[in-house]
Amino acid sequence: MSIVVAENLKKYYGEEPNIVRALDGVSLTVEEGEFVAVVGTSGSGKSTLLNMLGGLDVPTSGDVIIAGKKLSGMDDDHLTIFRRRRIGFVFQNYNLVPILNVYENMILSVALDGQKPDERYMKNVIGLLGLGDRLNEMPNNLSGGQQQRVAIARALAAQPALLLCDEPTGNLDSKTSQDVLGLIRASSSQFGQTIIMITHNEEIAQTADRIIRIEDGRITESRWTV
Amino acid sequence: MTEWIVLFLAAVFLAAAAAAGIWVYMRKRYIAFTDQVCQSIDDILAGRGSGEFEMDEETLLSKFQMRLKRLEEITVSAAKESERQKLEVQSVVSDISHQLKTPVANVVLYCDTAMNPALSQEERDQCMKILKGQVEKLEFLIQSLIRMSRMEQNMIRLSPEPVPLGEILEAAGEAIAGKAKAKGISVDLECPEGLFVYCDWKWTLEAVLNVLDNAVKYSPEGGSVSIAVQPLEIYTKISVKDRGIGISPEHITDVCRRFFREERAGRTEGLGIGLYLTREILGKERGYMKIRSKPDEGTEVSVYLLRKSFGCMENKGYK
């Protein structure tokens, strides 16, 4: 089953003659378990695409179908619950809650859903991300790389159908970037997680199974590396 | 007094009636809920899928249906995975037969020629020499294919453990020394002492050796290859740098594909298996690799290995 289907996605801002075509007819399909990198220069529309796929923004026309569910027909409340249960986000600037400790941050979305975290699974995630001895720390006491690892754990906690990463290493120095990148790659293989990662860095994109290139709101290339 | 008793009995009766009422109501709701659950399961069993599920409500049924949908997805994807593996095996078989065709055809050809009684001793020797070369090529090919297909069909279990990195790199350096010397290439190794990585000794050596072999193979005579090690927080990076022919940018993501060879590399011996195998091995060890290269300037291949296990190699098979 295709986890992500986008059909002829368009996002226009403004009106003629000053119309900005952030996305201009993007169609793509991502299969379960794939690790896809979306590359493009800034302003190419890659972040807009990610926001559409995650239901954070509404396309001007076209459809997004995640795990068989059409996002366009949903109202805000339903979309929020859908996101919480089915989509994990990792942003450039971690977005951890400063007054919660590391573990509380991780299980936040699960707790919001009134569920108990799957302890065995969480132990695996925490182990994979090397956070075992940091669970009681506050986010502010962690380095950037560690904070981003917590954010990845939080995104994985609800066992989402899809993990969306927007420039996950954008704020990190090259040393920590390499750690974080490897761990995203590892969660893809360890948990069979479907991942779409946005980056402007070709070298980072190399680690993915498929690279989608986007320019001026259109997909210009889609190739497999394996 | 009797008034009190009547009142008390009335209260008890009312409470009992209310309890019974609530019980009946709850029971009804409970039956309705289980009916819906059964209906959901029937939907999936009948292959109608989970299209009707309301998975984004704050209700018990919705939560339940969501789990159910996940279960359905896992089952479907397991079925797909086995189908995919079947196709993979088919494509490996067809790739292998394709790779074997040329050398086997050559062997048959030169065998026929060599058996011609009219041939002079010198010509026969020439034939034999070519034959030997082709047979060696076949042997190498078959060895590589065996390793590759075993790796691919998960017949190989890697057993990662803490291993001193220096020892692996030294072993790799020794294994490549002969080849490097023949081309007059110097191999520099810089590795901090006492560094451990979490990997399978034998297969990691193979992975590193493949990278080193490429570096030597695609370097000009008298060139140099350097191996550097940099410990990060989670991974240890091993980079192998050469000043060889490099990889053109449009093919940088292709070089890890099975049997892929750049046209520019046509004159150098090779099958297009090395980097593919390296990537597979690293993947199984939760490591990864990255390539940076410029045509005619050189290539740097970085291999990342976990520094310790972090307890993540156990309990596989999660969705």
Side-chain angles (χ1 to χ4, degrees), chain A residues 59-223:
Chain A
T60 311
S61 70
D63 277 323
V64 177
I65 300 154
I66 307 283
K69 191 100 184 170
K70 218 181 215 173
L71 296 193
S72 47
M74 278 193 227
D75 63 43
D76 271 358
D77 288 346
H78 287 103
L79 202 55
T80 307
I81 299 173
F82 182 81
R83 269 201 303 262
R84 192 162 75 201
R85 289 180 186 164
R86 307 295 279 152
I87 304 177
F89 290 95
V90 176
F91 297 101
Q92 184 170 347
N93 46 355
Y94 337 127
N95 289 338
L96 299 179
V97 181
I99 53 162
L100 299 180
N101 72 21
V102 165
Y103 188 70
E104 290 163 345
N105 261 290
M106 283 180 192
I107 59 162
L108 185 60
S109 66
V110 180
L112 278 176
D113 207 29
Q115 316 241 21
K116 276 211 187 85
D118 179 341
E119 303 255 342
R120 228 166 61 112
Y121 169 79
M122 280 315 289
K123 221 179 123 200
N124 258 282
V125 170
I126 291 164
L128 176 72
L129 294 167
L131 290 166
D133 48 358
R134 307 254 168 221
L135 295 179
N136 295 318
E137 301 246 17
M138 300 309 271
N140 287 340
N141 299 333
L142 301 181
S143 71
Q146 289 163 343
Q147 290 190 47
Q148 192 61 304
R149 271 146 53 196
V150 177
I152 295 173
R154 177 181 59 186
L156 288 171
Q159 306 186 44
L162 174 67
L163 186 64
L164 297 173
C165 308
D166 194 355
E167 297 271 9
T169 60
N171 275 354
L172 303 174
D173 60 64
S174 98
K175 247 179 136 176
T176 22
S177 293
Q178 301 173 63
D179 275 340
V180 166
L181 193 62
L183 291 172
I184 292 178
R185 156 99 259 165
S187 9
S188 142
S189 51
Q190 174 102 6
F191 306 115
Q193 184 70 57
T194 314
I195 299 180
I196 300 181
M197 175 178 72
I198 288 222
T199 176
H200 63 271
N201 184 328
E202 297 275 338
E203 242 178 83
I204 286 175
Q206 254 183 46
T207 52
D209 300 329
R210 173 153 64 124
I211 299 179
I212 290 175
R213 210 172 295 279
I214 184 163
E215 264 165 54
D216 296 328
R218 289 165 179 276
I219 290 179
T220 54
E221 191 191 7
S222 172
R223 70 197 300 184

Side-chain angles (χ1 to χ4, degrees), chain B residues 3-145:
Chain B
E3 244 170 64
W4 283 106
I5 290 172
V6 169
L7 219 63
F8 176 73
L9 283 178
V12 166
F13 178 75
L14 269 176
I22 290 170
W23 186 82
V24 168
Y25 173 72
M26 290 309 282
R27 169 99 188 134
K28 257 194 169 156
R29 287 202 50 181
Y30 181 64
I31 287 173
F33 176 71
T34 39
D35 276 350
Q36 280 169 311
V37 167
C38 289
Q39 182 62 43
S40 308
I41 294 173
D42 285 345
D43 278 348
I44 286 180
L45 284 180
R48 279 191 292 271
S50 41
E52 303 287 299
F53 287 12
E54 277 308 327
M55 277 164 306
D56 21 85
E57 304 277 354
E58 295 276 22
T59 60
L60 273 179
L61 182 67
S62 165
K63 279 177 192 172
F64 177 80
Q65 286 187 328
M66 198 199 52
R67 295 276 161 111
L68 209 54
K69 183 168 170 70
R70 201 169 277 158
L71 180 68
E72 185 202 11
E73 279 169 17
I74 292 172
T75 330
V76 169
S77 89
K80 269 213 154 167
E81 178 64 21
S82 80
E83 181 65 20
R84 195 194 61 80
Q85 278 178 356
K86 216 172 90 194
L87 289 175
E88 185 76 36
V89 170
Q90 278 173 6
S91 99
V92 171
V93 170
S94 96
D95 277 343
I96 289 175
S97 31
H98 184 78
Q99 294 286 327
L100 289 176
K101 228 161 50 191
T102 322
V104 169
N106 281 341
V107 166
V108 171
L109 183 76
Y110 283 103
C111 241
D112 280 350
T113 319
M115 273 156 72
N116 184 352
L119 226 55
S120 75
Q121 189 58 39
E122 199 181 325
E123 283 170 318
R124 185 159 296 138
D125 284 349
Q126 182 73 21
C127 264
M128 284 307 188
K129 214 174 144 193
I130 296 174
L131 257 178
K132 187 165 180 273
Q134 291 297 321
V135 170
E136 273 168 8
K137 195 172 171 186
L138 266 177
E139 197 203 350
F140 173 69
L141 189 63
I142 301 235
Q143 290 291 347
S144 317
L145 292 173

Side-chain angles (χ1 to χ4, degrees), chain A residues 5-9 25-29 49 212 219:
Chain A
V5 181
E7 283 165 356
N8 204 14
L9 274 187
V26 167
S27 302
L28 89 152
T29 323
L49 174 63
I212 290 175
I219 290 179

Side-chain angles (χ1 to χ4, degrees), chain A residues 38-50:
Chain A
V38 179
V39 274
T41 49
S42 60
S44 57
K46 55 189 190 317
S47 286
T48 315
L49 174 63
L50 198 81

Side-chain angles (χ1 to χ4, degrees), chain B residues 4 9 17 26 49 81 117 184 203 252 273 285 308 316 319:
Chain B
W4 283 106
L9 283 178
M26 290 309 282
E81 178 64 21
W203 286 96
I252 202 128
I273 289 182
E285 295 176 333
K308 42 180 180 163
K316 278 185 206 161
K319 154 82 178 56

